[in-house]
Amino acid sequence: MRAVVTGGAGFLGSHLCEALLEDGCSVVTIDNLITGNKENMGALLGLSEFEFIEGDICDGIDVEGDIDMIFHLASPASPNDYLNLPIETLKAGTVGTLNCLEFAQEKSSLFLLASTSEIYGDPLEHPQREEYWGNVNPIGVRSVYDEAKRVSESMAMAYHRERGVTVRIARIFNTYGPRMKRDDGRVVPNFIDQALHGQDLTVFGDGAQTRSFCFVSDLIDGLLKLARSGVEDPVNLGNPEEVRIVDLAKLILKMAGSNSGIKFEELPVDDPRTRRPDISKAEKLLGWQPNVDLNVGLEKTLAWFRGKLHRS
């Protein structure tokens, strides 16, 4: 099997490339490094089964030979990145997705879209099922990411219905683990970085808002199971265990052995109050559910961040 991974130098993309190689696939990854980092690919760069192409999928995709699977992960994905790169985020989800689908049609390959729980917006349904259409502000500052992913899903289904492209759509909920950037803007790396540097942890609002955190290895396992399945409709992938943000802050402070405190700041615009996946479809159709306990995943993530701190 031969796979193309767009955004393979990013957090999720690099873990996916490793898993595909371990599964016996050869992998070509395309990344313009606007938010990704070659360091994430590490030893993969020296493998004969792995090819890295530095390029922008919005300029087209040129990979020779047969391709069995395309995993489309290319896009700024953290709040800091997509707020600082709004046009690039929109282009990755529109022009980039269109080019990937054209390429998938040309190669007669499977196309898997890394979509997001952000398509549900600030949900009025809890937990969120795949049948829920969402509550999204189409012109808010977060819309460049939310709407780019929503139109990506629409494009994928149009190519599936009209041109016969085999598609899979993963709606990814909050995922964490090694290789996240310290300035990511997402809550887990933010809290860990602040705790390790002796800074007070920044909690927005009153901290009662909830998130559900899935460790990266569980998420990658879900993507692979989805790719191998026959499921054509969107599937939620995430951990249904719900955690209050203020409780997460306290847990990370304890695990890091930090004496830092917690400071509260104003809640960002359109920040969802709740976020929890209904994963019954993934459990039934994929035989998938997350297995890594939050404490175990946070220990591994903390260890990785400590290692980065000591090397810097």
Side-chain angles (χ1 to χ4, degrees), residues 80-112:
N80 282 0
D81 285 340
Y82 62 69
L83 292 176
N84 289 328
L85 299 165
I87 305 301
E88 291 85 349
T89 302
L90 284 166
K91 289 180 69 176
T94 53
V95 178
T97 301
L98 187 66
N99 286 341
C100 287
L101 285 162
E102 288 283 343
F103 183 70
Q105 181 183 354
E106 174 192 339
K107 298 291 185 179
S108 299
S109 67
L110 177 143
F111 171 83
L112 185 145

Side-chain angles (χ1 to χ4, degrees), residues 1-3 5 8 13-29 41-51 69 71 220 224 228:
M1 299 288 284
R2 189 166 182 239
V5 178
S14 60
H15 284 282
L16 177 60
C17 288
E18 284 183 347
L20 287 166
L21 288 163
E22 290 172 4
D23 211 32
C25 294
S26 62
V27 177
V28 179
T29 188
M41 296 179 286
L44 300 185
L45 293 169
L47 299 178
S48 60
E49 300 86 2
F50 182 77
E51 179 184 357
M69 300 176 289
F71 293 84
I220 297 302
L224 294 179
R228 298 185 190 113

Side-chain angles (χ1 to χ4, degrees), residues 197-209:
H197 284 85
Q199 303 168 355
D200 288 345
L201 274 58
T202 304
V203 171
F204 295 104
D206 60 5
Q209 66 269 34

Side-chain angles (χ1 to χ4, degrees), residues 6-290:
T6 71
F11 162 52
L12 288 182
S14 60
H15 284 282
L16 177 60
C17 288
E18 284 183 347
L20 287 166
L21 288 163
E22 290 172 4
D23 211 32
C25 294
S26 62
V27 177
V28 179
T29 188
I30 306 170
D31 200 306
N32 63 2
L33 302 180
I34 192 170
T35 58
N37 191 326
K38 289 179 73 172
E39 183 181 325
N40 288 335
M41 296 179 286
L44 300 185
L45 293 169
L47 299 178
S48 60
E49 300 86 2
F50 182 77
E51 179 184 357
F52 169 60
I53 298 173
E54 184 174 346
D56 191 336
I57 58 168
C58 294
D59 297 330
I61 302 173
D62 183 16
V63 179
E64 296 183 353
D66 293 336
I67 298 295
D68 300 289
M69 300 176 289
I70 299 169
F71 293 84
H72 180 30
L73 281 69
S75 173
S78 72
N80 282 0
D81 285 340
Y82 62 69
L83 292 176
N84 289 328
L85 299 165
I87 305 301
E88 291 85 349
T89 302
L90 284 166
K91 289 180 69 176
T94 53
V95 178
T97 301
L98 187 66
N99 286 341
C100 287
L101 285 162
E102 288 283 343
F103 183 70
Q105 181 183 354
E106 174 192 339
K107 298 291 185 179
S108 299
S109 67
L110 177 143
F111 171 83
L112 185 145
L113 172 66
S115 187
T116 174
S117 61
E118 296 292 338
I119 68 110
Y120 299 122
D122 189 3
L124 303 178
E125 172 181 297
H126 190 71
Q128 292 83 57
R129 299 170 301 129
E130 290 88 350
E131 292 75 21
Y132 178 54
W133 292 354
N135 178 40
V136 177
N137 178 356
I139 59 170
V141 292
R142 299 170 66 101
S143 68
V144 295
Y145 184 64
D146 303 355
E147 297 291 4
K149 290 297 187 180
R150 286 165 70 95
V151 76
S152 288
E153 289 195 12
S154 180
M155 286 180 176
M157 293 309 296
Y159 270 75
H160 169 64
R161 294 183 182 114
E162 297 300 318
R163 300 191 178 179
V165 175
T166 302
V167 303
R168 304 287 182 264
I169 299 174
R171 289 180 178 166
I172 299 171
F173 282 68
N174 294 67
T175 305
Y176 71 100
R179 299 183 197 154
M180 298 188 90
K181 298 186 296 183
R182 58 172 294 194
D183 59 350
D184 189 284
R186 285 176 279 201
V187 65
V188 170
N190 275 7
F191 283 174
I192 289 177
D193 186 64
Q194 289 174 324
L196 294 181
H197 284 85
Q199 303 168 355
D200 288 345
L201 274 58
T202 304
V203 171
F204 295 104
D206 60 5
Q209 66 269 34
T210 65
R211 295 293 183 271
S212 304
F213 299 99
C214 184
F215 191 64
V216 62
S217 62
D218 281 335
L219 189 280
I220 297 302
D221 179 55
L223 290 179
L224 294 179
K225 280 185 167 62
L226 178 59
R228 298 185 190 113
S229 76
V231 181
E232 297 170 344
D233 293 326
V235 176
N236 288 338
L237 294 177
N239 193 321
E241 181 182 345
E242 201 169 2
V243 181
R244 294 197 316 161
I245 295 300
V246 69
D247 293 333
L248 177 72
K250 294 174 182 177
L251 177 60
I252 288 176
L253 285 173
K254 180 180 178 181
M255 294 179 72
S258 173
N259 293 320
S260 298
I262 297 175
K263 61 180 179 180
F264 295 87
E265 295 188 1
E266 187 176 348
L267 198 67
V269 176
D270 296 331
D271 191 59
R273 295 293 302 176
T274 59
R275 186 60 56 76
R276 177 189 170 198
D278 181 327
I279 62 167
S280 54
K281 182 180 286 188
E283 290 175 324
K284 179 180 179 181
L285 301 180
L286 307 182
W288 177 86
Q289 60 182 11

